[in-house]
Amino acid sequence: TDIPPDGPTSSPTDIPTSGPTEVPTDSPTAGPTKAPNLLYCTDSTTWSAVKSKKFNCAWIQTHKKKQLKKKCKLSGKNGRKAKDACPLACNEKDACAKPKCWKNGQWEPKKKKAYFKKCSDLKVGKGKEKKKILCQKTGNHKENGTKVFAYEVCGKCGHCDESSQRKLTDIFHSRR
C-alpha cells in the first residue's frame, strides 16, 4: 500500500473522496414521459369545411370513431384542418387538455328556447330536439360573451371535465 504524502497532492487523486449521498434520488422512469397538457381544448366556432358551413366542429363531434377520423382530415376555407380547428371534437388528446365544465348559469345558448336556456336543461332532450342536437348549439358566457359550443362547457354533453368547474380565465387555447 502507498503511504499518504505529508501535504496536499498537486493533482486529483484516483480514489473517491466522499461517500454516497444521504438522501436517495428518484428512480428513473420506465421510458420518456409526456409533458402535461397546459391548455384546455376549445373548438373554433367559426371554422367550417370547404363543402358547407353546416360542416363545422359541432357537426364533426357527432360522428363515431371510424367516421370521425375521416371528418377530422377535412380542410376549412382557409386551408386549416378540422383536427387543428376542432381538437375537442376530433379527440386530439395530445394537443390539449379536456376542458372543465362551466357552472350552470354561466353559459346560455345563442338562440334560447323555452326548454333550453342553460346547461342544466340538457336532461334527455326536451321538446322537439334531442340532447345530441342541443349539445351542438353555440352560446355565450353570460358575463363577457365568450362564444363556445354547448358540448365544450355543459357536463351533460359529456365532453368536459365535471370534476372541477372551469373559470373564464382558463380559456387560452387559440381557436381562430
Side-chain angles (χ1 to χ4, degrees):
T1 28
D2 293 333
I3 300 174
D6 291 336
T9 60
S10 58
S11 62
T13 62
D14 292 333
I15 303 171
T17 57
S18 63
T21 58
E22 290 182 29
V23 181
T25 57
D26 292 336
S27 300
T29 58
T33 56
K34 194 185 291 185
N37 290 322
L38 302 176
L39 302 174
Y40 290 113
C41 289
T42 187
D43 290 347
S44 174
T45 56
T46 59
W47 182 90
S48 64
V50 175
K51 295 178 181 181
S52 169
K53 281 189 174 188
K54 290 181 181 181
F55 299 158
N56 61 13
C57 293
W59 173 78
I60 286 173
Q61 69 88 27
T62 63
H63 291 84
K64 302 283 185 215
K65 286 182 182 182
K66 193 174 184 181
Q67 284 286 324
L68 184 64
K69 192 173 182 179
K70 183 179 176 182
K71 302 299 181 198
C72 290
K73 291 179 182 177
L74 290 172
S75 291
K77 293 180 169 93
N78 60 359
R80 191 172 179 199
K81 296 281 186 196
K83 70 178 189 135
D84 298 323
C86 315
L88 187 59
C90 290
N91 288 322
E92 291 292 318
K93 295 173 184 157
D94 294 338
C96 49
K98 187 175 185 178
K100 294 184 182 344
C101 300
W102 286 1
K103 291 179 183 175
N104 192 40
Q106 286 184 307
W107 178 88
E108 59 187 5
K110 183 178 174 183
K111 294 179 182 176
K112 292 183 199 170
K113 300 193 178 201
Y115 56 88
F116 184 48
K117 295 180 182 173
K118 57 187 183 279
C119 289
S120 63
D121 293 336
L122 288 164
K123 294 188 177 146
V124 180
K126 295 182 178 182
K128 299 174 190 171
E129 298 176 280
K130 293 182 179 180
K131 183 171 85 170
K132 182 178 177 180
I133 301 295
L134 294 174
C135 288
Q136 294 179 48
K137 302 293 181 188
T138 57
N140 302 308
H141 190 279
K142 276 189 172 180
E143 294 172 18
N144 79 349
T146 302
K147 189 175 178 182
V148 294
F149 291 104
Y151 67 83
E152 295 180 81
V153 296
C154 297
K156 295 181 189 288
C157 293
H159 288 278
C160 60
D161 181 4
E162 291 187 90
S163 62
S164 58
Q165 299 296 309
R166 174 169 153 180
K167 297 176 201 160
L168 187 58
T169 55
D170 290 340
I171 306 170
F172 290 114
H173 190 273
S174 173
R175 29 180 213 165
R176 304 284 181 245

